[in-house]
Amino acid sequence: MLVKLTVNPNQDVFVFKNEKFVQVLKNGRYRFFAVGDALRFSVIDKAYPLVEGFEAEQLQSNSKVGPALKVLVVAEQERASVRVDGILKTLLGSGRYFYYDPENRLECKIYSIAEPSIDEALALALSTLPSATNFIQFVNIEDGLRGILYYNNRHIRILSPGQYYFWKSTLAVSAKKVDIRSQSLEIQGQELMTKDKVTLRVNLSVRYRVVDVMIALESLKDFADSFYRVIQMALREAISSKTLDELLTFKTQISADIANEVRQQCTELGMVLEDSGIRDIILPGEMKTILNQVIEAEKRSQANMIQRREETAATRSLLNTAKLLEDNPILLRLKELEASERIAEKVGSLSITGGFEQLFKAIQAAPVLRS
């Protein structure tokens, strides 16, 4: 039987007769007569000349092609990259690999994964390969966050914002993240009793920031819940030690007292309290009515006091004016002229009989005009 074979320039072909290696075919056209023999052809792509199966063992023992066969051994805790003509082709896990490379076009590099962390430049280069996802993982820390890196649940270091790459290995790589930006916490609907036994509801707003990531994440199961409890207890203590009047009068000072009370405890939680403030004080319905009545009575009393004060001031002013007029006849005469002028503004015409003396006497005799 006649067998025709064409070998392209980008190929090498291994010929096997009865499963024994015979020769290597380069670019060209070939004819084979197979009489009672089983011929088999194994095509090797020069772009990635990997030799697989039992063929590699036969080629390795052949004196002609054995020296051109490269053997790459990758251990359990290693990974390897393969480049052909400087072009990165693949990333390999542990195993034994054979390449037919008579022209020394291959470059293989071994990487230890005992330390899972990968240099970013290397990781970016390797991540372009389809097989990279089988061997490489990444951890992303967003802006405003910090992370703690763990190998097999054992903390290694703190991670700043950025993307980090790691080998997939026997070590389990993970990261816990925490927001280090200023955050708000609302403690709402706290039903508390004041020193004078008034039950009310209080809403408190606080602003805090994590400053020690290790303490916040490692020392506590839930640092946010612990912080909430600390603020809640400080609020209860502050309200129970004040009467309702003190609470309403010194609300700002009480907020500052709460902040001062919990600062040391916040430090122990790896946090800092930036500010706090009592936002709402909600009284029961009947207490609102009573308080409104008290305020109304206070305001009415203040209004009466102001009215009496003004009346007293007006009376005192009239008395002073009367004394001045009594002691100064000329000033009295001027006031009489001012009164005459005001009267003249309100009449169309005025007839005077007996001269100004009679007019002034008439003015003096009129009680309404004197007032």
Side-chain angles (χ1 to χ4, degrees):
M1 185 177 72
L2 178 64
V3 178
K4 295 181 179 181
L5 178 66
T6 300
V7 180
N8 297 326
N10 60 343
Q11 295 176 337
D12 287 323
V13 176
F14 298 128
V15 181
F16 293 85
K17 182 183 292 187
N18 298 325
E19 296 304 325
K20 291 185 177 181
F21 173 72
V22 177
Q23 66 183 79
V24 178
L25 302 181
K26 300 296 184 180
N27 178 34
R29 294 181 179 180
Y30 302 88
R31 293 182 179 185
F32 295 89
F33 290 95
V35 181
D37 296 320
L39 290 178
R40 185 169 64 83
F41 304 96
S42 179
V43 179
I44 302 299
D45 188 352
K46 288 185 177 182
Y48 185 63
L50 178 66
V51 181
E52 298 180 292
F54 74 96
E55 301 170 358
E57 300 294 337
Q58 291 195 29
L59 296 175
Q60 193 175 20
S61 61
N62 187 278
S63 59
K64 292 183 179 180
V65 296
L69 197 67
K70 283 187 176 179
V71 182
L72 176 61
V73 179
V74 184
E76 185 65 30
Q77 289 295 307
E78 293 178 339
R79 298 292 180 262
S81 63
V82 179
R83 295 176 182 269
V84 180
D85 295 330
I87 300 173
L88 187 63
K89 291 294 182 178
T90 190
L91 186 62
L92 301 173
S94 58
R96 196 177 186 201
Y97 305 89
F98 298 87
Y99 295 93
Y100 183 63
D101 185 28
E103 300 173 359
N104 290 319
R105 298 166 54 237
L106 266 70
E107 178 187 352
C108 303
K109 191 168 184 179
I110 303 292
Y111 306 99
S112 172
I113 62 172
E115 164 53 52
S117 181
I118 309 175
D119 178 76
E120 182 177 4
L122 173 62
L124 292 175
L126 297 178
S127 62
T128 60
L129 299 171
S131 60
T133 54
N134 298 326
F135 304 106
I136 297 175
Q137 61 182 320
F138 71 90
V139 172
N140 187 47
I141 306 298
E142 296 81 2
D143 287 339
L145 305 183
R146 292 293 184 273
I148 299 182
L149 177 65
Y150 294 87
Y151 292 166
N152 288 346
N153 296 320
R154 181 172 57 88
H155 74 260
I156 302 301
R157 67 177 187 274
I158 296 177
L159 302 178
S160 299
Q163 187 149 288
Y164 301 84
Y165 300 86
F166 304 90
W167 294 112
K168 291 181 179 180
S169 66
T170 54
L171 292 176
V173 177
S174 60
K176 289 182 181 179
K177 303 177 186 179
V178 62
D179 196 327
I180 63 168
R181 295 169 292 188
S182 293
Q183 300 181 68
S184 296
L185 175 65
E186 301 294 330
I187 301 179
Q188 298 183 335
Q190 300 294 303
E191 292 195 3
L192 307 172
M193 183 177 290
T194 63
K195 187 177 181 180
D196 50 354
K197 308 304 181 185
V198 177
T199 301
L200 43 76
R201 285 192 295 129
V202 178
N203 295 334
L204 179 71
S205 295
V206 298
R207 193 156 53 90
Y208 69 94
R209 181 166 49 87
V210 175
V211 293
D212 193 318
V213 177
M214 288 297 294
I215 292 178
L217 290 181
E218 288 288 290
S219 301
L220 303 163
K221 182 178 180 181
D222 188 337
F223 72 89
D225 183 67
S226 298
F227 176 70
Y228 183 92
R229 300 301 175 195
V230 166
I231 298 297
Q232 186 184 49
M233 294 305 296
L235 175 62
R236 289 178 179 274
E237 184 177 345
I239 297 300
S240 63
S241 63
K242 298 289 188 298
T243 64
L244 178 60
D245 288 342
E246 291 173 339
L247 183 60
L248 296 176
T249 304
F250 304 107
K251 185 172 70 171
T252 303
Q253 181 59 44
I254 293 172
S255 299
D257 292 342
I258 292 173
N260 294 331
E261 178 70 22
V262 302
R263 287 193 195 281
Q264 180 58 38
Q265 292 172 278
C266 289
T267 301
E268 295 172 359
L269 297 176
M271 307 163 68
V272 61
L273 181 67
E274 295 184 333
D275 60 50
S276 66
I278 296 177
R279 193 181 64 188
D280 302 304
I281 298 175
I282 305 170
L283 299 172
E286 63 275 11
M287 184 57 66
K288 283 184 181 179
T289 302
I290 295 172
L291 188 60
N292 287 336
Q293 291 174 351
V294 171
I295 294 173
E296 182 180 356
E298 289 178 351
K299 295 301 180 183
R300 189 181 295 114
S301 175
Q302 291 176 3
N304 291 336
M305 186 178 298
I306 292 172
Q307 183 177 2
R308 289 194 297 271
R309 186 165 58 245
E310 293 298 325
E311 289 175 353
T312 300
T315 302
R316 186 179 296 109
S317 177
L318 287 175
L319 178 62
N320 292 335
T321 302
K323 288 182 178 180
L324 285 174
L325 293 177
E326 183 181 5
D327 297 337
N328 297 277
I330 297 176
L331 182 59
L332 177 62
R333 196 64 181 266
L334 289 174
K335 295 295 288 183
E336 292 172 347
L337 290 174
E338 288 178 1
S340 301
E341 184 180 5
R342 286 196 297 271
I343 293 172
E345 289 176 353
K346 297 179 180 180
V347 297
S349 61
L350 180 67
S351 298
I352 300 174
T353 303
F356 280 104
E357 289 294 333
Q358 295 299 324
L359 176 61
F360 293 148
K361 289 179 180 180
I363 290 172
Q364 292 175 353
V368 174
L369 292 180
R370 286 201 306 272
S371 65

Coordinates of all heavy atoms in Angstrom, one line a residue, residues 76-147:
E76 N 6.3 19.4 42.8 CA 5.0 19.6 43.4 C 4.8 21.0 43.8 O 3.8 21.6 43.6 CB 4.8 18.7 44.6 CG 3.4 18.7 45.2 CD 2.3 18.2 44.2 OE1 2.6 17.3 43.4 OE2 1.2 18.7 44.3
Q77 N 5.9 21.6 44.4 CA 5.8 23.0 44.9 C 6.4 24.0 43.8 O 7.0 25.0 44.2 CB 6.5 23.1 46.2 CG 5.8 22.5 47.3 CD 4.4 23.1 47.6 OE1 4.4 24.4 47.8 NE2 3.4 22.4 47.7
E78 N 6.3 23.7 42.5 CA 6.8 24.5 41.5 C 5.8 24.7 40.4 O 4.8 23.9 40.2 CB 8.1 23.9 40.9 CG 9.3 23.9 41.9 CD 10.5 23.2 41.3 OE1 10.3 22.5 40.3 OE2 11.6 23.4 41.8
R79 N 6.0 25.8 39.6 CA 5.3 26.0 38.4 C 6.3 26.4 37.3 O 7.4 26.9 37.7 CB 4.3 27.2 38.5 CG 3.2 26.8 39.6 CD 2.3 25.7 39.1 NE 1.2 25.4 40.1 CZ 1.3 24.5 41.0 NH1 2.4 23.7 41.0 NH2 0.3 24.3 41.8
A80 N 6.0 26.3 36.0 CA 7.0 26.5 35.0 C 6.3 27.3 33.9 O 5.1 27.0 33.5 CB 7.6 25.3 34.5
S81 N 7.0 28.3 33.3 CA 6.5 28.9 32.1 C 7.4 28.5 30.9 O 8.6 28.2 31.0 CB 6.6 30.5 32.2 OG 8.0 30.9 32.4
V82 N 6.8 28.4 29.7 CA 7.4 28.0 28.5 C 7.3 29.1 27.4 O 6.2 29.5 27.1 CB 6.9 26.6 28.0 CG1 7.6 26.2 26.7 CG2 7.0 25.5 29.0
R83 N 8.4 29.5 26.9 CA 8.4 30.5 25.8 C 9.0 29.8 24.6 O 10.0 29.0 24.7 CB 9.3 31.7 26.2 CG 8.7 32.5 27.3 CD 9.6 33.7 27.7 NE 9.0 34.4 28.8 CZ 8.2 35.5 28.7 NH1 7.9 35.9 27.5 NH2 7.8 36.1 29.8
V84 N 8.5 30.1 23.4 CA 9.0 29.7 22.1 C 9.3 30.9 21.3 O 8.4 31.7 21.0 CB 8.0 28.8 21.4 CG1 8.6 28.3 20.0 CG2 7.6 27.6 22.2
D85 N 10.6 31.0 20.9 CA 11.0 32.2 20.2 C 10.7 33.5 21.0 O 10.3 34.5 20.4 CB 10.4 32.3 18.8 CG 10.9 31.2 17.9 OD1 12.0 30.7 18.1 OD2 10.1 30.7 17.0
G86 N 10.8 33.4 22.3 CA 10.6 34.6 23.2 C 9.1 34.9 23.4 O 8.8 35.8 24.2
I87 N 8.2 34.1 22.9 CA 6.8 34.3 23.0 C 6.3 33.3 24.1 O 6.5 32.1 24.0 CB 6.0 34.1 21.7 CG1 6.5 35.1 20.7 CG2 4.5 34.2 21.9 CD1 5.9 34.8 19.3
L88 N 5.6 33.9 25.1 CA 5.1 33.1 26.2 C 3.9 32.2 25.7 O 3.0 32.7 25.2 CB 4.6 34.0 27.4 CG 4.1 33.3 28.7 CD1 5.3 32.5 29.3 CD2 3.6 34.3 29.6
K89 N 4.1 30.9 25.9 CA 3.1 29.9 25.4 C 2.2 29.3 26.4 O 1.0 29.1 26.2 CB 3.8 28.8 24.6 CG 4.5 29.3 23.3 CD 3.5 29.7 22.3 CE 4.1 30.1 21.0 NZ 3.1 30.5 20.0
T90 N 2.7 28.9 27.6 CA 1.9 28.2 28.5 C 2.5 28.3 29.9 O 3.7 28.7 30.1 CB 1.7 26.8 28.1 OG1 0.7 26.2 29.0 CG2 3.0 26.0 28.3
L91 N 1.7 28.0 30.9 CA 2.1 27.9 32.3 C 1.8 26.5 32.8 O 0.7 26.0 32.6 CB 1.4 28.9 33.2 CG 1.8 29.0 34.6 CD1 3.2 29.5 34.7 CD2 0.9 30.1 35.3
L92 N 2.7 25.8 33.3 CA 2.6 24.4 33.6 C 2.6 24.1 35.1 O 3.3 24.8 35.9 CB 3.7 23.6 33.0 CG 3.9 23.7 31.5 CD1 5.1 23.0 31.0 CD2 2.6 23.1 30.8
G93 N 1.8 23.1 35.6 CA 1.9 22.6 36.9 C 2.9 21.5 37.1 O 3.7 21.3 36.2
S94 N 2.9 20.9 38.2 CA 3.9 19.8 38.5 C 3.7 18.7 37.4 O 2.6 18.3 37.0 CB 3.7 19.3 39.9 OG 2.4 18.8 40.1
G95 N 4.8 18.1 37.0 CA 4.8 17.0 36.1 C 6.1 16.9 35.3 O 7.1 17.7 35.5
R96 N 6.1 16.0 34.3 CA 7.3 15.8 33.4 C 6.9 16.0 32.0 O 5.9 15.4 31.5 CB 7.9 14.4 33.6 CG 9.2 14.2 33.1 CD 9.7 12.8 33.4 NE 11.1 12.6 33.0 CZ 11.7 11.4 32.8 NH1 10.9 10.3 32.9 NH2 12.9 11.3 32.5
Y97 N 7.6 16.9 31.3 CA 7.2 17.3 29.9 C 8.4 17.2 29.0 O 9.5 17.4 29.4 CB 6.7 18.8 30.0 CG 5.6 19.1 31.0 CD1 5.9 19.4 32.3 CD2 4.3 19.0 30.6 CE1 5.0 19.7 33.2 CE2 3.3 19.2 31.5 CZ 3.6 19.6 32.8 OH 2.6 19.8 33.8
F98 N 8.0 16.8 27.7 CA 9.1 16.6 26.7 C 8.8 17.5 25.5 O 7.6 17.6 25.0 CB 9.1 15.1 26.2 CG 9.4 14.1 27.3 CD1 8.4 13.6 28.1 CD2 10.7 13.7 27.5 CE1 8.6 12.7 29.1 CE2 11.0 12.8 28.5 CZ 9.9 12.3 29.3
Y99 N 9.9 18.1 25.0 CA 9.7 19.0 23.8 C 10.8 18.7 22.8 O 12.0 18.4 23.2 CB 9.9 20.5 24.3 CG 8.8 21.0 25.2 CD1 8.9 20.9 26.6 CD2 7.6 21.5 24.7 CE1 7.9 21.3 27.4 CE2 6.6 21.9 25.5 CZ 6.8 21.8 26.9 OH 5.8 22.3 27.7
Y100 N 10.4 18.7 21.6 CA 11.4 18.5 20.5 C 11.9 19.8 20.0 O 11.2 20.6 19.4 CB 10.7 17.7 19.3 CG 11.7 17.4 18.2 CD1 12.8 16.5 18.4 CD2 11.5 17.9 16.9 CE1 13.7 16.2 17.4 CE2 12.4 17.6 15.9 CZ 13.5 16.8 16.2 OH 14.4 16.5 15.1
D101 N 13.2 20.1 20.3 CA 13.7 21.4 20.1 C 15.1 21.4 19.6 O 16.1 21.7 20.2 CB 13.7 22.2 21.4 CG 14.1 23.7 21.3 OD1 13.9 24.2 20.2 OD2 14.7 24.2 22.3
P102 N 15.2 20.9 18.3 CA 16.6 20.8 17.7 C 17.3 22.2 17.5 O 18.5 22.2 17.4 CB 16.3 20.1 16.4 CG 14.9 20.4 16.1 CD 14.2 20.5 17.4
E103 N 16.5 23.3 17.4 CA 17.1 24.6 17.2 C 17.2 25.4 18.4 O 17.5 26.6 18.3 CB 16.2 25.3 16.1 CG 16.1 24.5 14.8 CD 15.1 25.1 13.8 OE1 14.5 26.1 14.2 OE2 15.0 24.6 12.7
N104 N 16.9 24.9 19.6 CA 17.0 25.6 20.8 C 16.1 26.9 20.8 O 16.6 28.0 21.2 CB 18.5 26.0 21.2 CG 19.3 24.8 21.5 OD1 18.9 23.9 22.3 ND2 20.5 24.8 21.0
R105 N 14.9 26.7 20.5 CA 14.0 27.8 20.4 C 13.2 28.0 21.7 O 12.5 29.0 22.0 CB 13.0 27.6 19.3 CG 13.7 27.6 17.9 CD 12.7 27.0 16.8 NE 11.5 27.8 16.8 CZ 10.3 27.2 16.9 NH1 10.2 25.9 17.1 NH2 9.2 27.9 16.8
L106 N 13.3 27.0 22.6 CA 12.5 27.0 23.8 C 13.3 27.6 25.0 O 14.5 27.4 25.1 CB 12.1 25.5 24.2 CG 10.7 25.1 23.7 CD1 10.7 24.9 22.2 CD2 10.3 23.8 24.5
E107 N 12.5 28.3 25.8 CA 13.0 28.8 27.1 C 12.1 28.4 28.2 O 10.9 28.9 28.2 CB 13.2 30.3 27.0 CG 13.7 30.9 28.3 CD 13.7 32.5 28.3 OE1 13.5 33.0 27.2 OE2 14.0 33.0 29.3
C108 N 12.5 27.7 29.2 CA 11.7 27.3 30.3 C 12.2 27.9 31.6 O 13.4 27.9 31.8 CB 11.7 25.7 30.4 SG 11.1 24.9 28.9
K109 N 11.2 28.3 32.4 CA 11.6 28.9 33.7 C 10.8 28.3 34.8 O 9.5 28.2 34.7 CB 11.4 30.4 33.6 CG 12.0 31.2 34.8 CD 12.1 32.7 34.6 CE 12.8 33.4 35.7 NZ 12.8 34.8 35.5
I110 N 11.4 28.0 35.9 CA 10.8 27.3 37.0 C 10.5 28.4 38.1 O 11.4 29.2 38.4 CB 11.6 26.2 37.6 CG1 11.9 25.1 36.5 CG2 11.0 25.5 38.8 CD1 10.7 24.4 36.1
Y111 N 9.3 28.3 38.8 CA 9.0 29.2 39.9 C 8.6 28.4 41.1 O 7.8 27.5 41.0 CB 7.8 30.2 39.5 CG 8.0 30.9 38.2 CD1 7.5 30.5 37.0 CD2 8.8 32.1 38.2 CE1 7.6 31.2 35.8 CE2 8.9 32.8 37.0 CZ 8.4 32.3 35.8 OH 8.5 33.0 34.6
S112 N 9.1 28.8 42.2 CA 8.7 28.1 43.5 C 7.4 28.7 44.0 O 7.3 30.0 44.0 CB 9.8 28.3 44.5 OG 9.4 27.8 45.8
I113 N 6.5 27.9 44.4 CA 5.3 28.4 45.0 C 5.2 28.2 46.5 O 4.1 28.3 47.1 CB 4.0 27.7 44.3 CG1 4.0 26.2 44.6 CG2 4.0 28.0 42.8 CD1 2.8 25.5 44.1
A114 N 6.4 27.9 47.1 CA 6.4 27.8 48.6 C 6.0 29.1 49.2 O 5.3 29.2 50.2 CB 7.8 27.4 49.0
E115 N 6.4 30.3 48.6 CA 5.9 31.6 48.9 C 4.8 31.9 47.9 O 5.2 32.2 46.7 CB 7.0 32.6 49.0 CG 6.5 34.1 49.0 CD 5.5 34.4 50.0 OE1 5.7 34.1 51.2 OE2 4.4 35.0 49.7
P116 N 3.5 32.0 48.2 CA 2.5 32.1 47.2 C 2.5 33.5 46.5 O 2.0 33.6 45.4 CB 1.2 32.0 48.0 CG 1.6 31.2 49.2 CD 3.0 31.7 49.5
S117 N 3.0 34.5 47.1 CA 3.0 35.8 46.5 C 3.8 35.9 45.2 O 4.9 35.4 45.1 CB 3.5 36.9 47.5 OG 3.4 38.2 47.0
I118 N 3.2 36.6 44.2 CA 3.8 36.7 42.9 C 4.1 38.2 42.6 O 3.2 39.0 42.9 CB 2.9 36.1 41.8 CG1 2.4 34.7 42.1 CG2 3.6 36.1 40.4 CD1 1.4 34.2 41.1
D119 N 5.2 38.4 42.0 CA 5.5 39.8 41.6 C 4.4 40.2 40.6 O 4.0 39.5 39.7 CB 6.9 39.8 40.9 CG 7.2 41.2 40.4 OD1 7.6 42.1 41.2 OD2 7.1 41.4 39.2
E120 N 4.0 41.5 40.7 CA 2.9 42.0 39.9 C 3.3 41.9 38.4 O 2.4 41.5 37.6 CB 2.6 43.4 40.3 CG 1.4 44.0 39.5 CD 1.0 45.4 39.9 OE1 1.7 46.0 40.7 OE2 0.0 45.9 39.4
A121 N 4.5 42.3 38.0 CA 4.9 42.3 36.6 C 4.8 40.9 36.0 O 4.3 40.7 34.9 CB 6.3 42.9 36.4
L122 N 5.3 39.9 36.8 CA 5.3 38.5 36.3 C 3.8 38.0 36.3 O 3.4 37.4 35.3 CB 6.1 37.6 37.3 CG 6.0 36.1 37.1 CD1 6.5 35.8 35.7 CD2 6.7 35.4 38.2
A123 N 3.0 38.4 37.3 CA 1.6 38.0 37.3 C 0.9 38.5 36.1 O 0.1 37.8 35.5 CB 1.0 38.4 38.6
L124 N 1.1 39.8 35.8 CA 0.4 40.4 34.6 C 0.8 39.7 33.3 O 0.0 39.5 32.4 CB 0.7 41.9 34.6 CG 0.1 42.7 35.7 CD1 0.5 44.2 35.6 CD2 -1.5 42.6 35.7
A125 N 2.1 39.3 33.2 CA 2.5 38.6 32.0 C 1.9 37.2 31.9 O 1.4 36.8 30.8 CB 4.1 38.5 32.0
L126 N 1.9 36.5 33.0 CA 1.4 35.1 33.0 C -0.2 35.1 32.9 O -0.7 34.2 32.4 CB 1.8 34.4 34.3 CG 3.3 34.2 34.5 CD1 3.5 33.5 35.8 CD2 3.9 33.4 33.4
S127 N -0.8 36.2 33.4 CA -2.3 36.2 33.4 C -2.9 36.3 32.0 O -4.1 36.1 31.8 CB -2.8 37.4 34.2 OG -2.4 38.6 33.7
T128 N -2.0 36.6 30.9 CA -2.6 36.6 29.6 C -2.8 35.2 29.0 O -3.4 35.0 28.0 CB -1.6 37.3 28.7 OG1 -0.3 36.6 28.7 CG2 -1.4 38.8 29.1
L129 N -2.3 34.2 29.7 CA -2.4 32.8 29.2 C -3.7 32.2 29.7 O -4.2 32.4 30.8 CB -1.3 31.9 29.8 CG 0.2 32.3 29.4 CD1 1.2 31.5 30.2 CD2 0.4 32.1 27.9
P130 N -4.4 31.4 28.8 CA -5.6 30.8 29.2 C -5.5 29.8 30.4 O -6.4 29.7 31.2 CB -6.0 30.0 27.9 CG -5.3 30.6 26.8 CD -4.0 31.1 27.4
S131 N -4.3 29.2 30.5 CA -4.2 28.3 31.6 C -3.8 29.0 33.0 O -3.8 28.3 34.0 CB -3.0 27.3 31.3 OG -1.8 28.0 31.1
A132 N -3.7 30.3 33.0 CA -3.2 31.0 34.2 C -4.2 30.9 35.3 O -3.9 30.8 36.5 CB -3.0 32.5 33.8
T133 N -5.5 30.9 34.9 CA -6.6 30.8 36.0 C -6.5 29.5 36.8 O -7.0 29.4 37.9 CB -8.0 30.9 35.3 OG1 -8.1 30.0 34.3 CG2 -8.1 32.3 34.7
N134 N -5.8 28.5 36.2 CA -5.7 27.2 37.0 C -4.6 27.3 38.0 O -4.6 26.5 38.9 CB -5.3 26.1 36.0 CG -6.5 25.8 35.0 OD1 -7.6 26.0 35.3 ND2 -6.1 25.5 33.8
F135 N -3.7 28.3 37.9 CA -2.6 28.4 38.8 C -2.4 29.7 39.6 O -1.7 29.7 40.5 CB -1.3 28.2 38.0 CG -1.3 26.9 37.2 CD1 -1.4 26.9 35.8 CD2 -1.1 25.7 37.8 CE1 -1.4 25.8 35.0 CE2 -1.1 24.5 37.1 CZ -1.2 24.5 35.7
I136 N -3.2 30.7 39.2 CA -3.0 32.0 39.8 C -4.3 32.5 40.3 O -5.4 32.4 39.6 CB -2.4 33.1 38.8 CG1 -1.0 32.6 38.3 CG2 -2.3 34.5 39.4 CD1 -0.4 33.5 37.2
Q137 N -4.3 33.1 41.5 CA -5.5 33.8 42.0 C -5.1 35.2 42.4 O -3.9 35.5 42.6 CB -6.0 33.1 43.2 CG -5.1 32.9 44.4 CD -5.6 32.1 45.5 OE1 -6.8 32.3 45.9 NE2 -4.8 31.3 46.1
F138 N -6.1 36.1 42.6 CA -5.7 37.5 43.0 C -6.7 37.9 44.1 O -7.8 37.4 44.3 CB -5.8 38.4 41.8 CG -7.2 38.7 41.3 CD1 -8.0 39.7 41.8 CD2 -7.8 37.9 40.4 CE1 -9.2 40.0 41.4 CE2 -9.1 38.1 39.9 CZ -9.8 39.2 40.4
V139 N -6.2 38.9 44.9 CA -6.9 39.6 45.9 C -6.9 41.1 45.6 O -5.9 41.7 45.4 CB -6.3 39.3 47.3 CG1 -7.0 40.2 48.4 CG2 -6.4 37.9 47.7
N140 N -8.1 41.7 45.6 CA -8.2 43.1 45.3 C -8.7 43.9 46.5 O -9.7 43.5 47.2 CB -9.3 43.3 44.2 CG -9.3 44.7 43.7 OD1 -8.3 45.3 43.4 ND2 -10.5 45.3 43.6
I141 N -7.9 44.9 46.9 CA -8.2 45.8 48.0 C -8.6 47.1 47.4 O -7.8 47.8 46.8 CB -7.0 45.9 49.0 CG1 -6.5 44.6 49.5 CG2 -7.4 46.8 50.2 CD1 -7.5 43.7 50.2
E142 N -9.9 47.5 47.6 CA -10.3 48.8 47.0 C -9.8 50.0 47.8 O -9.4 49.9 48.9 CB -11.9 48.8 47.0 CG -12.5 47.7 46.1 CD -12.6 46.3 46.8 OE1 -12.1 46.2 48.0 OE2 -13.0 45.4 46.2
D143 N -9.9 51.2 47.1 CA -9.5 52.4 47.8 C -10.4 52.6 49.0 O -11.6 52.4 49.1 CB -9.8 53.6 46.8 CG -8.7 53.6 45.7 OD1 -7.7 53.0 45.9 OD2 -9.0 54.3 44.6
G144 N -9.7 53.2 50.1 CA -10.4 53.4 51.3 C -10.5 52.2 52.2 O -11.0 52.3 53.3
L145 N -9.9 51.1 51.8 CA -10.0 49.8 52.6 C -8.5 49.4 52.9 O -7.6 49.8 52.3 CB -10.7 48.7 51.8 CG -12.1 48.9 51.3 CD1 -12.6 47.7 50.7 CD2 -13.0 49.4 52.4
R146 N -8.4 48.6 53.9 CA -7.2 47.9 54.2 C -7.6 46.4 54.4 O -8.7 46.0 54.7 CB -6.6 48.4 55.5 CG -6.0 49.8 55.4 CD -4.8 49.9 54.5 NE -4.3 51.2 54.5 CZ -4.7 52.2 53.7 NH1 -5.7 52.0 52.9 NH2 -4.1 53.4 53.7
G147 N -6.6 45.5 54.1 CA -6.8 44.1 54.3 C -5.8 43.4 55.1 O -4.6 43.9 55.1

